[in-house]
Structures are given as C-alpha cells and as structure tokens.
Amino acid sequence: MPLLEVRNLTKYFGGLAAVDDLSFDVREGEILGLIGPNGAGKTTVFNCISGVFSPTSGKVFFNDEDVTGLKPNKIAQRGISRTFQITYLFDAFPAIANVLAACHMRAKAGVWRTFFNTPRYRQQEAEIMQQAMDLLKLLGLAEIALENTGGLPHGHKRGLGVAVALATQPKLLMLDEPVTGMNPEEVRVQMDRLSKIRDELGVTLVVVEHNMRAVMGICDRIVALNFGKQIAEGRPEEIRENPDIIEAYLGSQEDYAT
Ligand SMILES: Nc1ncnc2c1ncn2[C@@H]1O[C@H](COP(=O)(O)OP(=O)(O)OP(=O)(O)O)[C@@H](O)[C@H]1O
Ligand SMILES: [Mg+2]
C-alpha cells in the first residue's frame, strides 16, 4: 500500500486547469521528485495535498485514509508537512525560536499547565528544547541556533525552513524548491540534509525542484508534469532520456543540463 495516493486530482482556477486529472503514488521511504516547467502545476499539487486548496475534483489518500479537502492543520496532524517556495521565518528571533514555535504547535500544552508552570509543563518544555536542538544538529545547523534569523545566509534559512517543517514530526515531507537560489556548496549541503531526513528519521519525501542535477542525484523516482498532467514517470536515468520531457523543457528558461 502506498503512503500517499493521488487519484484523478484536478484543480481549476477559473477556466485554467492548473492540475488536470493527475494520479500518482508515493511509496513509504522513497524520495519522489516532482518536476516540470514553470507553471506546470507542481505547487498547486502540494497546495491540494496539504489542504491549502480544496481540489476541484479527485482524491488524496494518506495511509489509506481519505484526506481530500481537510484543513491544513488536520493534514499536519495526520503526518504530512511541507515547505514553501519562499521561506517564511520569524526574522527578528534566534533561529531556534522558529523551530520551537513549530514544536509548540504540535505539543499544545494546556492553559492550566502553562499558567501554573507545573512540573509536567516544565518537563514538556525541556523535551521540546531537546527536540528542536536535535533537529538542528541533524541538519547541521546547531551552531547557528542562537543567531538572529534575519541575518543568516540564504542556505541556512532554507535549511531552517526544513527544520520547521520537521518539527511536527511528519511521516511525509513535501519540499517546494528546497535548493532554489543556492550556490553549489549550499545545494550539496541541503541535499545531504534531505538524504539524512529519509535515512535517519525515516521520513518519506516529495521534492519539487528545477535543479535537475540535484533531483537526479537524490530521487529514487520522478514524476514529470506539464500543463497539470503527468507526462512521464520513472527512475532518474529513464526521465533524463525521455523525449517528452526534453521537449517540455525546450524553449523554457530553465537549466535542464544534468
Ligand atoms: N492561486 C491561484 N490563482 C490563480 N491561478 C493560479 C493560482 N496558483 C497557481 N495558479 C496558476 O496555476 C498554474 C500552475 O501554477 P503552479 O504555481 O502550481 O506551477 P508550478 O509548477 O509550481 O510553477 P513554478 O515552477 O514556476 O513554481 C499556473 O498557470 C499559475 O499561474
Ligand atoms: Mg511552484
């Protein structure tokens, strides 16, 4: 049984089918790439799965349960998390505060416990701090934990965005362009982070990315979209040679060099 099943997913914006009768599976433990030229519908797919949009039609099953159209907080509670094409962080706070805030959303300490600062509350706070620190360590960000978020280099900010998404302890993490705007060294570091997330935390990943070298290097399998429809599916080496994909990218501004 796949971890995530997308069935005949369709999303219209006015008369435009941004996602058009799309079906694909995500298997537990894999890293699946979702690629396609600008405007192909990749982010809309993420938005429909994560509850930002309700699909016009079609279904999404997670762990064999119908999660179609659930609100984002309910989707997160089920175990699906995502990052955004643009990283949203609290710039005025230390880096770790971003992760702590996300951990707190999951922990939800009761008002009673918080107000009276009970031993259980203090223990929970200590656990959350440990959890946030462990996440930063895993992602190689421990040394910037106390640095001001706004002043961090782009690569660290994108890494921190991933840490925030992991704070809800998801089973499935969807990443929207995790290496965009990064220099080659930052790309390498970020790809290492993603491998670790799968290998050490056992989290299944779906990665939307235009950087083909990165996608081909990390993904077990790739689904390619154009105009909201699937145009190919296969292993990276199959996708690289696929004439439909090469054609879809021809004339676009993107770097399809591998
Ligand atoms: N909220 C919205 N309202 C109207 N149209 C939208 C909305 N979001 C996306 N679209 C349109 O849907 C289509 C798919 O957009 P989407 O952002 O999903 O593409 P994408 O594959 O993520 O592209 P990119 O690689 O540039 O991020 C585009 O034509 C876009 O203009
Ligand atoms: Mg997008």
Side-chain angles (χ1 to χ4, degrees), residues 128-182:
I128 286 174
M129 180 58 88
Q130 188 60 52
Q131 219 178 70
M133 213 45 222
D134 286 348
L135 260 182
L136 290 180
K137 261 188 216 147
L138 178 83
L139 301 183
L141 295 165
E143 72 278 18
I144 57 101
L146 297 177
E147 282 186 31
N148 193 272
T149 304
L152 293 174
H154 177 69
H156 284 84
K157 283 189 180 169
R158 296 294 281 171
L160 191 55
V162 175
V164 169
L166 282 173
T168 54
Q169 300 185 339
K171 293 193 198 78
L172 175 73
L173 175 61
M174 304 192 295
L175 301 125
D176 202 350
E177 304 197 13
V179 305
T180 294
M182 289 185 177

Side-chain angles (χ1 to χ4, degrees), residues 13 16 18 37-44 53 85 177 210:
F13 294 112
L16 172 86
N38 288 121
K42 305 176 299 292
T43 298
T44 307
F53 298 145
Q85 221 163 321
E177 304 197 13
H210 287 285

Side-chain angles (χ1 to χ4, degrees), residues 2-10 19-27 32 34 44-46 48-50 55 57-62 65 67-68 80 172 174 206 223 225 228 230:
L3 182 62
L4 184 84
E5 295 168 68
V6 173
R7 291 287 169 271
N8 309 104
L9 191 74
T10 300
V19 180
D20 194 357
D21 200 24
L22 179 69
S23 298
F24 68 92
D25 289 341
V26 184
R27 303 167 192 157
L32 178 79
L34 192 59
T44 307
V45 170
F46 274 16
C48 288
I49 295 170
S50 63
S57 59
K59 292 277 179 197
V60 179
F61 298 94
F62 185 62
E65 289 175 351
V67 298
T68 319
I80 302 178
L172 175 73
M174 304 192 295
V206 183
V223 169
L225 305 185
Q230 181 175 312

